[in-house]
């Protein structure tokens, strides 16, 4: 029998990260943040996907990145001025490719049903665009998420301190709710911020991450993820620095370089 120390068992609720996550679904091959993009990610072998959630004007949680619909639909205007009936009239696929014409915005409920059907894990970004209410978003989405996905298959991320603080206030147990602080560039006090939030991970723009900070985070109790990594040489450099997962528009391209 070996006397080697037995590593602390990770609890059943601990996420099992993969080296890549599909950013907004497989957004290199399908319209971002749609059911098609998630099906494509799954078909390409992804086990984790990153998506954005926010509220329509009528309070319906919807999978969408921008504050408006112009870039990714055939419509115009702000999300906060749309209700679900008008949102569902938009074509959110044809802007990307005619093969996706007729695609509709996915509600959070529709997306969670698909995520469960495909047994995927979800890194959901609570997107608080300017002028929007972080607490309202949390109070609509958190109960749905916690009743639909086990803690192991869910990470909630945000750039918004108000969203993260509200999430942690609603669920103080870090094993029941894994939170990620999104940074464009990690501030000097990242460790203090992560400890205060009982965060699970830090998600950083790789372009603003220097080697020293990457190594410090990788050596900390917090997981380190980087977005948006689409270059295989960058991916390999980040892996060497201890980055746990790269959020990519096309994970297959990165993985084929290993
Ligand atoms: O969650 C990582 C990444 O999605 C953050 O930036 O603008 O692509 O939502 P963005
Ligand atoms: Mg995002």
């Amino acid at each position: 029998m070996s006397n080697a120390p037995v590593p602390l068992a990770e609890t059943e609720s601990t996420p099992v990260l993969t080296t890549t996550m599909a950013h907004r679904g497989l957004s290199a091959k399908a319209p971002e943040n749609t059911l098609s993009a998630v099906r494509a990610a799954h078909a390409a072998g992804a086990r984790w996907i990153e998506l954005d959630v926010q509220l329509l004007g009528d309070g319906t949680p919807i999978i969408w990145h921008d504050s408006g619909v112009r870039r990714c639909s055939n419509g115009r205007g702000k999300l906060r001025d749309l209700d679900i009936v008008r949102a569902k009239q938009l074509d959110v696929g044809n802007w990307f490719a005619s093969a996706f014409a007729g695609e509709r915005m996915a509600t959070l409920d529709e997306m969670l049903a698909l995520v469960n059907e495909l047994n995927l894990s979800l890194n959901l970004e609570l997107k608080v665009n300017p002028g929007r209410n972080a607490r309202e978003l949390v109070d609509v989405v958190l109960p749905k998420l916690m009743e639909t996905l086990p803690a192991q298959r869910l990470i909630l991320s945000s750039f918004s301190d108000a969203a993260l603080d509200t999430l942690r206030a609603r669920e103080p147990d870090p094993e029941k709710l894994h939170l990620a602080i999104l940074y464009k560039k990690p501030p000097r006090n990242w460790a203090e911020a992560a400890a205060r939030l009982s965060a699970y991970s830090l998600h950083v723009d790789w372009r603003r991450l220097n080697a020293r900070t990457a190594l410090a985070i990788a050596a900390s109790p917090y997981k380190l993820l980087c977005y948006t990594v689409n270059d295989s040489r960058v991916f390999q450099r980040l892996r060497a620095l201890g980055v746990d997962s790269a959020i990519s528009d096309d994970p297959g391209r990165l993985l084929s370089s290993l």
Side-chain angles (χ1 to χ4, degrees):
M1 244 175 96
S2 160
N3 282 330
V6 178
L8 282 178
E10 300 218 307
T11 66
E12 227 176 75
S13 70
T14 305
V16 181
L17 293 178
T18 46
T19 53
T20 59
M21 287 187 185
H23 181 236
R24 309 182 193 173
L26 192 61
S27 58
K29 305 276 170 73
E32 62 180 57
N33 279 318
T34 62
L35 298 172
S36 288
V38 171
R39 286 198 190 94
H42 177 260
R47 291 296 167 260
W48 276 91
I49 51 165
E50 187 267 0
L51 298 169
D52 305 290
V53 69
Q54 46 185 321
L55 299 183
L56 294 176
D58 66 1
T60 307
I62 202 98
I63 305 300
W64 201 252
H65 180 277
D66 296 356
S67 60
V69 299
R70 187 185 180 107
R71 182 175 64 87
C72 297
S73 83
N74 61 345
R76 296 283 180 272
K78 296 287 186 194
L79 221 57
R80 62 166 183 253
D81 297 326
L82 283 179
D83 61 21
I84 186 64
V85 174
R86 288 182 57 217
K88 282 286 187 184
Q89 287 164 355
L90 297 172
D91 184 312
V92 303
N94 197 48
W95 70 274
F96 184 86
S98 56
F100 296 98
E103 181 91 30
R104 300 294 153 188
M105 262 190 202
T107 63
L108 177 63
D109 290 350
E110 291 163 345
M111 189 58 87
L112 287 176
L114 181 62
V115 164
N116 255 340
E117 179 193 319
L118 301 178
N119 200 26
L120 287 165
S121 295
L122 175 63
N123 165 15
L124 186 65
E125 180 185 347
L126 274 67
K127 185 64 89 183
V128 183
N129 280 314
R132 304 304 304 272
N133 187 315
R135 284 173 200 82
E136 189 187 351
L137 178 60
V138 168
D139 285 334
V140 172
V141 305
L142 186 61
K144 286 179 187 292
L145 291 164
M146 294 196 68
E147 82 182 29
T148 312
L149 287 175
Q152 192 183 35
R153 286 172 43 214
L154 179 66
I155 297 171
L156 293 186
S157 55
S158 190
F159 288 104
S160 162
D161 288 339
L164 292 170
D165 289 345
T166 308
L167 286 164
R168 183 52 79 221
R170 299 289 184 266
E171 177 47 75
D173 186 342
E175 287 189 7
K176 291 192 178 149
L177 183 60
H178 298 100
L179 296 183
I181 310 179
L182 269 164
Y183 286 127
K184 292 200 161 58
K185 180 177 169 60
R188 291 158 72 100
N189 69 341
W190 60 264
E192 200 182 303
R196 196 181 56 78
L197 185 71
S198 301
Y200 169 73
S201 53
L202 305 181
H203 300 183
V204 180
D205 186 337
W206 68 267
R207 294 168 302 179
R208 315 273 312 267
L209 179 67
N210 61 44
R212 190 175 147 170
T213 307
L215 291 167
I217 299 173
S220 80
Y222 311 106
K223 301 289 183 190
L224 173 59
L225 282 70
C226 282
Y227 64 89
T228 305
V229 183
N230 290 326
D231 181 304
S232 46
R233 279 163 307 178
V234 171
F235 178 52
Q236 290 181 21
R237 184 156 52 79
L238 294 171
R239 280 178 55 82
L241 290 171
V243 168
D244 293 289
S245 186
I247 303 172
S248 175
D249 297 331
D250 191 358
R253 203 163 100 194
L254 303 184
L255 293 171
S256 65
S257 75
L258 289 181

